[in-house]
Amino acid sequence: MLTWFSRHVFFPLWEIKDGAHRAKYLHELSINQWLDSESLRRRQWDCVREIVGYAFDHCSYYRARLAAEGFDGVLRGWDDFRRLPILRKSDIRQNGNGLLSREFKQKDLVEAKTGGSTGVALQLYFDSTCQEMRNAAAMRSDQWAGWDIGMAVAAIWGNPPVADTLKKKIRNLLLDRTIYLDTMQINEDSVHRFFRDWQRTKPRVIFGHSHSIYILANYLQRLGLEAIRPCGIISTSMMLLEPERRLIEEVFHCPVTNRYGCEEVGLIACECERHEGLHLNMDHVVVEFLKEDGTEAVPGEEANIVVTDLINRGMPLIRYQIGDMGVPSDRSCSCGRGLPLMERVTGRQADFLKRPDGSLVAGVSLIERTLTAIPGIEQMQLVQDELHHVCAKVVRDSHHFSKDSELKLRNELQTVFGKDVVIEIQYVPALGQTRMGKYRFAICNV
Ligand SMILES: [Zn+2]
């Protein structure tokens, strides 16, 4: 009953109060997803031409940089687009205000900062239309996972917002309808409290950082509190490890929807209800997969993810190299949506560890493999502070971890990194989190 009211009464009223158009954007996106890929590609091309021309006309940074490359502000085809220079985090840091559009006053833009867990914090700005369109895109992908406007949800992450004003309390009661589990303080008491909140509010969907949902699933299983049956689970903001996905799905009897995005451009890709890969949010973002030499990767090949934001005029990001690696796909999804797929996200460049010979080790894939192969390792993080020293921080599952597990782990790491690297294994009660409550599985400080 409350869900119906929230969806059909409170949500539209709140939109009017905020002067927002999310419902309209969501409606458009819901229709677009069923267009064929050719039509979507044509629409995307119109947006690309527009945003690149806009950035050239309104942002001093793009004007100077693109003009220096001989560009006159008009794209004539995708080849022209692919010749535009790559924008790196360091470019944003050094030219912050030059990327802002003259059309907006800085105070009218929404400000955000990236977490900076890779050592590079960025100051970002979005115009308000972009903000609403991004919200709508997230809502469309939430719907693929089983969510709908007005549904009660459970959010599992660090430092959840506190409804400290009356307005926020009313909004949460009538509209957002969210219960929280703060993963900065996850323990038996907080999990019991969460379980009671769940029984009282009966949320339908769980949102959260994948590793935090995994830790919750572990607790629930251990405490025998398994009567939590959501209709959807949305894993965001972090790599979803396969072994963790399996446990989450087993405990909640519900598939996990893997979603990929970043603070800089919002939603990039998300699985639909078929879970056959991640649909690219091509209405709002151009996603390229580029190899180190700048050429395009073929389907199945791991490469740098480079994105162009089609909707943020406040601070356009054109051919921005996020620092994540992923794998493009040429498969189409059996759901029939025209939005193309990517295979998977494979991690951040900062997650790659180094061998003494200079070659790289994909930290997250290594951990994924280890968790699957060696019994009794509940969680693991690899930290490399020196080229010849790798520390594995391990949370043990006391029932299944044995001397043999330790031996296998040591052998595996020694084989991967080579005999000249000292492997240290530390047993810890829990993995450390970032300030935002996320986890990093592999940290290379070399
Ligand atoms: Zn699909």
Side-chain angles (χ1 to χ4, degrees):
M1 189 68 171
L2 191 52
T3 303
W4 188 91
F5 267 106
S6 185
R7 182 176 177 187
H8 296 285
V9 181
F10 303 133
F11 178 74
L13 284 176
W14 217 281
E15 288 266 289
I16 293 167
K17 180 191 139 305
D18 286 347
H21 302 92
R22 284 176 307 171
K24 183 184 103 188
Y25 298 137
L26 176 60
H27 179 69
E28 286 167 8
L29 289 172
S30 307
I31 293 172
N32 290 358
Q33 63 185 331
W34 299 107
L35 296 176
D36 61 84
S37 53
E38 202 40 55
S39 314
L40 284 166
R41 190 79 173 149
R42 272 200 306 275
R43 296 168 75 106
Q44 191 186 47
W45 170 245
D46 292 339
C47 297
V48 172
R49 269 176 63 111
E50 204 175 309
I51 194 75
V52 171
Y54 179 89
F56 188 76
D57 291 340
H58 293 86
C59 311
S60 59
Y61 169 77
Y62 288 109
R63 165 69 71 157
R65 182 136 189 223
L66 302 190
E69 306 263 335
F71 180 69
D72 64 358
V74 182
L75 289 179
R76 287 166 188 85
W78 282 105
D79 283 346
D80 275 4
F81 174 72
R82 290 189 199 100
R83 276 194 290 272
L84 298 178
I86 299 290
L87 179 71
R88 294 174 201 281
K89 286 186 200 291
S90 55
D91 297 321
I92 299 181
R93 219 177 35 241
Q94 287 157 18
N95 300 284
N97 283 347
L99 274 92
L100 300 186
S101 159
R102 278 191 295 274
E103 200 185 16
F104 297 89
K105 290 198 182 80
Q106 196 166 327
K107 70 173 178 42
D108 295 333
L109 296 172
V110 182
E111 232 181 291
K113 219 181 181 124
T114 59
S117 52
T118 51
V120 186
L122 295 178
Q123 186 71 43
L124 304 162
Y125 296 89
F126 318 114
D127 61 79
S128 55
T129 305
C130 159
Q131 195 78 342
E132 287 180 25
M133 291 173 91
R134 281 187 186 178
N135 280 339
M139 286 158 97
R140 174 173 72 178
S141 67
D142 291 345
Q143 288 178 334
W144 298 346
W147 171 88
D148 211 341
I149 294 167
M151 243 181 212
V153 301
I156 319 291
W157 45 56
N159 302 320
V162 181
D164 47 2
T165 62
L166 184 62
K167 186 181 159 195
K168 286 185 193 161
K169 282 181 183 150
I170 293 173
R171 191 189 154 109
N172 193 43
L173 186 69
L174 301 180
L175 193 63
D176 300 334
R177 307 188 62 214
T178 307
I179 62 165
Y180 291 100
L181 175 66
D182 183 355
T183 55
M184 291 293 199
Q185 310 183 21
I186 192 163
N187 53 46
E188 290 193 8
D189 284 347
S190 62
V191 170
H192 274 289
R193 205 175 319 122
F194 174 80
F195 185 75
R196 284 195 302 273
D197 284 348
W198 182 284
Q199 300 305 337
R200 192 167 40 80
T201 4
K202 296 258 184 294
R204 304 292 309 281
V205 175
I206 294 177
F207 282 93
H209 302 154
S210 55
H211 189 66
S212 302
I213 303 176
Y214 166 77
I215 292 176
L216 170 65
N218 247 324
Y219 263 99
L220 291 169
Q221 197 175 47
R222 219 175 293 150
L223 297 172
L225 303 173
E226 294 190 36
I228 287 187
R229 294 284 176 269
C231 66
I233 300 173
I234 301 171
S235 151
T236 65
S237 314
M238 273 190 66
M239 288 279 303
L240 174 63
L241 304 182
E242 260 324 293
E244 299 199 344
R245 177 181 209 144
R246 281 198 292 275
L247 182 98
I248 296 169
E249 293 186 341
E250 183 190 315
V251 169
F252 293 108
H253 295 252
C254 175
V256 175
T257 297
N258 190 16
R259 182 200 277 183
Y260 169 55
C262 67
E263 192 71 46
E264 293 91 317
V265 301
L267 176 74
I268 297 171
C270 185
E271 290 178 354
C272 72
E273 65 284 352
R274 302 285 172 97
H275 307 280
E276 296 174 10
L278 294 95
H279 284 286
L280 299 175
N281 176 22
M282 74 180 290
D283 310 77
H284 293 168
V285 190
V286 177
V287 185
E288 297 173 87
F289 297 86
L290 301 183
K291 294 189 284 192
E292 285 305 321
D293 65 2
T295 58
E296 257 179 275
V298 295
E301 190 178 19
E302 182 180 63
N304 290 305
I305 298 178
V306 172
V307 291
T308 297
D309 187 330
L310 301 174
I311 55 174
N312 184 13
R313 291 177 165 235
M315 181 178 178
L317 295 180
I318 292 168
R319 303 202 84 206
Y320 168 54
Q321 183 163 336
I322 304 177
D324 291 334
M325 309 283 289
V327 179
S329 173
D330 58 357
R331 293 181 299 110
S332 46
C333 185
S334 65
C335 69
R337 289 182 180 85
L339 302 168
L341 294 178
M342 66 178 284
E343 295 291 339
R344 60 190 173 277
V345 184
T346 49
R348 296 192 296 192
Q349 281 167 324
D351 297 335
F352 284 75
L353 305 168
K354 297 191 177 98
R355 292 191 189 90
D357 67 3
S359 61
L360 297 177
V361 176
V364 174
S365 311
L366 173 60
I367 288 171
E368 203 163 32
R369 208 166 65 223
T370 312
L371 291 179
T372 309
I374 303 176
I377 301 179
E378 202 169 280
Q379 305 170 44
M380 185 164 90
Q381 182 182 52
L382 294 173
V383 184
Q384 186 173 30
D385 282 321
E386 293 166 42
L387 194 55
H388 290 88
H389 187 262
V390 171
C391 176
K393 298 188 176 184
V394 173
V395 179
R396 280 173 291 186
D397 163 3
S398 52
H399 298 298
H400 300 101
F401 194 88
S402 64
K403 268 268 156 251
D404 190 46
S405 311
E406 177 174 319
L407 198 67
K408 277 189 180 146
L409 175 60
R410 192 175 287 284
N411 284 342
E412 168 73 11
L413 296 177
Q414 204 74 67
T415 310
V416 170
F417 287 97
K419 62 176 176 17
D420 295 335
V421 175
V422 177
I423 304 291
E424 182 193 346
I425 298 176
Q426 266 182 26
Y427 296 109
V428 293
L431 300 185
Q433 298 175 65
T434 67
R435 271 189 308 118
M436 306 303 289
K438 292 191 205 174
Y439 295 85
R440 291 183 62 194
F441 295 119
I443 301 171
C444 180
N445 295 320
V446 180

